[in-house]
Amino acid sequence: MENNNAGGGVDNTFRRKFDPEEYLERAREREKQDAEGRGKSKSKGPPVQRKPLKHRDYEVDLDSRLGKTQVVTPIAPLSQQAGYYCSVCECVVKDSANYLDHINGKKHQRALGMSMRVERASLQQVQERFEKLKKRREPGSFTEQDLDERILKQQEEEEERKRQRRERKKEKKKEKAAEEEEPDIDPDIAAMMGFGGFGSSKK
């Protein structure tokens, strides 16, 4: 048997030869395509300008379904499944704490078209807000005199309730006494029926 390799080593001519220049060229082309792709994704359009966060103008209803029993089937629509349904994001959250986290969270606010940034208030807006709160507080300002009047009113109402209770008790006692009184029966009829009377035997 002849050995083709004159050097007497292992014949590895069947192995694939790697051309560094070819792979360098491929790498450059790939980098170029990636750069173009990144450029395209960035320049898809102007960045979306979302409105700043606003104060919620509705009351969050957490108590309406409290303590109620509901039959849940796996084929029921999301809005009728167990938990709190968000119609904006079309998802169901299992408890009230997570529901509050969801409606205050980034995903929900983005779906409403708001960013998580709060609008910076000007000095004039703050002063107007203070004036508004002062006006709201003045008509219903709370003083010690108001407190005394409320305490007296409560005491009077409590006395009235006690008096009504006492009257009801007296009426009940009268009714019981009337039921217990001996009815007027003719003694001849009572003797004919076989009993002497309903009264006690004491004299």
Side-chain angles (χ1 to χ4, degrees):
M1 188 173 174
E2 287 183 24
N3 189 357
N4 293 333
N5 195 357
V10 179
D11 182 15
N12 58 4
T13 53
F14 64 90
R15 286 191 179 177
R16 186 175 171 190
K17 299 264 199 304
F18 288 99
D19 184 9
E21 290 297 321
E22 182 191 344
Y23 285 97
L24 193 61
E25 188 63 34
R26 281 191 193 177
R28 283 189 189 124
E29 283 178 22
R30 200 179 310 120
E31 282 176 7
K32 194 175 177 182
Q33 287 173 354
D34 287 347
E36 285 174 9
R38 278 199 297 270
K40 281 180 186 174
S41 65
K42 282 182 182 174
S43 61
K44 265 184 182 173
V48 179
Q49 187 67 37
R50 290 191 173 89
K51 294 179 283 182
L53 276 176
K54 286 183 183 173
H55 181 73
R56 206 175 3 253
D57 57 353
Y58 61 92
E59 193 72 29
V60 180
D61 181 25
L62 298 174
D63 301 335
S64 65
R65 293 165 65 184
L66 192 68
K68 292 186 179 175
T69 307
Q70 181 181 0
V71 178
V72 180
T73 59
I75 56 169
L78 278 174
S79 59
Q80 294 174 3
Q81 287 186 4
Y84 294 88
Y85 175 68
C86 174
S87 57
V88 177
C89 305
E90 295 182 349
C91 64
V92 176
V93 188
K94 294 300 177 192
D95 57 29
S96 59
N98 286 334
Y99 179 67
L100 282 174
D101 286 344
H102 169 73
I103 62 175
N104 293 329
K106 187 185 276 186
K107 182 184 172 189
H108 185 81
Q109 298 300 333
R110 277 194 175 174
L112 290 172
M114 288 189 277
S115 68
M116 294 301 285
R117 291 193 177 91
V118 181
E119 189 178 10
R120 191 172 175 83
S122 66
L123 177 63
Q124 186 181 357
Q125 286 174 321
V126 173
Q127 288 172 342
E128 286 172 3
R129 184 76 174 162
F130 275 132
E131 288 300 319
K132 189 177 174 184
L133 291 171
K134 279 181 188 175
K135 284 177 186 172
R136 191 192 297 173
R137 204 180 76 178
E138 280 168 9
S141 57
F142 197 73
T143 60
E144 286 187 28
Q145 186 179 358
D146 293 340
L147 182 65
D148 292 339
E149 286 175 9
R150 282 174 63 183
I151 289 171
L152 281 170
K153 194 175 179 183
Q154 280 183 336
Q155 286 175 346
E156 286 171 7
E157 287 173 359
E158 187 66 32
E159 287 294 326
E160 181 67 23
R161 281 197 292 270
K162 284 180 181 176
R163 187 180 62 76
Q164 287 174 354
R165 267 190 238 128
R166 281 196 296 267
E167 285 178 4
R168 281 198 295 268
K169 281 183 181 176
K170 282 180 184 175
E171 286 173 11
K172 283 181 182 176
K173 281 183 181 177
K174 284 179 184 176
E175 286 173 7
K176 280 185 180 178
E179 287 172 5
E180 289 174 359
E181 278 180 14
E182 185 180 337
D184 296 332
I185 297 177
D186 190 22
D188 294 333
I189 295 172
M192 196 171 65
M193 292 175 75
F195 46 82
F198 294 105
S200 63
S201 57
K202 291 180 182 175
K203 292 186 179 178

